[in-house]
Amino acid sequence: MQCKDIPDGVFLDAVRRSPAVGGVGWRMSWDVHAALEFLVGPVPVNLFYAKARKLIARGLLGGCACGCRGDFHITADCTGGQCCCGIN
């Protein structure tokens, strides 16, 4: 399995399906990873973070893909500068 085998929309849907924390829509990486595996089956953690990095680089996802808690959020959902990326 490679990054290209996980459609962008499916990954972003996994973010949306994960429980939001902090009142501003951030999602923890382990919750997003679990939601993604529910949608597509087993995904190695290194592949999960590689796909997240690609989406972040393209501006579709905000957060951190270093292996920490993530704080993932969909940039299109950012409003009023509440997300770290500040994209509206």
Side-chain angles (χ1 to χ4, degrees):
M1 182 179 264
Q2 298 177 345
C3 287
K4 66 182 180 181
D5 298 323
I6 303 171
D8 296 347
V10 172
F11 194 101
L12 296 175
D13 189 40
V15 174
R16 284 190 179 97
R17 289 173 177 249
S18 301
V21 296
V24 291
W26 297 333
R27 275 70 170 201
M28 299 297 189
S29 61
W30 46 84
D31 292 330
V32 176
H33 190 197
L36 182 63
E37 289 190 318
F38 178 79
L39 295 171
V40 300
V43 177
V45 71
N46 59 336
L47 176 60
F48 169 78
Y49 284 116
K51 182 67 177 188
R53 281 191 298 276
K54 288 181 177 288
L55 293 172
I56 291 168
R58 291 178 40 221
L60 298 174
L61 185 68
C64 182
C66 77
C68 67
R69 65 185 189 181
D71 287 349
F72 293 124
H73 56 277
I74 298 170
T75 56
D77 297 345
C78 290
T79 58
Q82 292 178 323
C83 294
C84 68
C85 62
I87 298 172
N88 291 321

